[in-house]
């Protein structure tokens, strides 16, 4: 694999850290972590390793994301007249993470085979004209998604 700390520095638009510095070691550790995650996923799915260009892209993006925002903290400040209140929210994984979009690029997407991985409604289900689904919503208000025909809103 061809990702190294110099390529990470180029992606960030800054100078590479000095070799053997703590920062260089940290970046190399994150590169190794991203590569390990990909190797483990490929083994788990019993698929071959992705081609090197895609692999390098994902490793580079995952490490750059970790360097730019290692704790994924968000601070919200509310100001009213002379007073203000700040709250910091943290939802980071605290480690190098590969997002679903990158797994798809690598062809290493897991298939959901859980109890709710199938659609119970007929693909020909008919919604009422005033159903939320017909008005652009992502949900159904007439019940056709559940029963295949409208069961709410005077549909029965």
């Amino acid at each position: 694999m061809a990702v190294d700390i110099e390529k990470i520095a180029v992606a960030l638009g800054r100078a590479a850290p000095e070799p053997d510095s703590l920062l260089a070691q940290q970046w190399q550790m994150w590169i190794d972590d991203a590569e390990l995650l990909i190797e483990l996923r490929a083994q788990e799915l019993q698929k071959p390793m992705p081609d090197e260009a895609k692999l390098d892209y994902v490793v580079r993006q995952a490490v750059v994301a970790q360097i730019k925002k290692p704790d994924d903290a968000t601070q919200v400040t509310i100001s009213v007249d002379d007073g203000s209140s700040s709250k910091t929210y943290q939802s980071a994984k605290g480690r190098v993470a590969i997002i679903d979009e990158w797994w798809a690029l690598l062809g290493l997407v897991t298939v959901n085979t859980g109890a709710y991985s199938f659609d119970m409604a007929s693909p020909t289900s008919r919604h009422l004209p005033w159903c939320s689904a017909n008005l652009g919503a992502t949900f159904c208000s007439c019940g056709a998604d559940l029963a295949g025909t409208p069961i709410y809103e005077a549909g029965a």
Side-chain angles (χ1 to χ4, degrees), residues 18-130:
E18 291 294 322
D20 298 329
S21 69
L22 184 60
L23 186 59
Q25 292 175 27
Q26 185 179 45
W27 286 13
Q28 186 59 53
M29 180 182 66
W30 287 339
I31 292 168
D32 296 341
D33 289 351
E35 291 171 351
L36 175 67
L37 290 172
I38 294 167
E39 288 172 19
L40 291 174
R41 174 74 70 102
Q43 289 173 2
E44 176 186 328
L45 298 175
Q46 298 176 351
K47 292 188 176 184
M49 286 294 287
D51 66 72
E52 191 168 341
K54 290 179 182 177
L55 188 64
D56 289 350
Y57 172 80
V58 171
V59 169
R60 195 171 50 248
Q61 293 301 315
V63 173
V64 166
Q66 176 69 13
I67 292 168
K68 284 184 174 179
K69 209 171 191 184
D71 60 358
D72 199 26
T74 302
Q75 183 171 357
V76 177
T77 303
I78 299 171
S79 299
V80 177
D81 294 331
D82 292 337
S84 67
S85 175
S86 295
K87 177 88 174 169
T88 301
Y89 299 93
Q90 293 181 333
S91 61
K93 296 182 181 206
R95 59 183 167 81
V96 173
I98 298 175
I99 61 175
D100 292 339
E101 174 185 338
W102 297 335
W103 286 126
L105 175 69
L106 295 171
L108 299 175
V109 179
T110 57
V111 177
N112 185 2
T113 58
Y116 297 102
S117 65
F118 58 90
D119 186 5
M120 294 172 48
S122 163
T124 60
S125 64
R126 218 171 113 208
H127 297 278
L128 294 172
W130 54 85

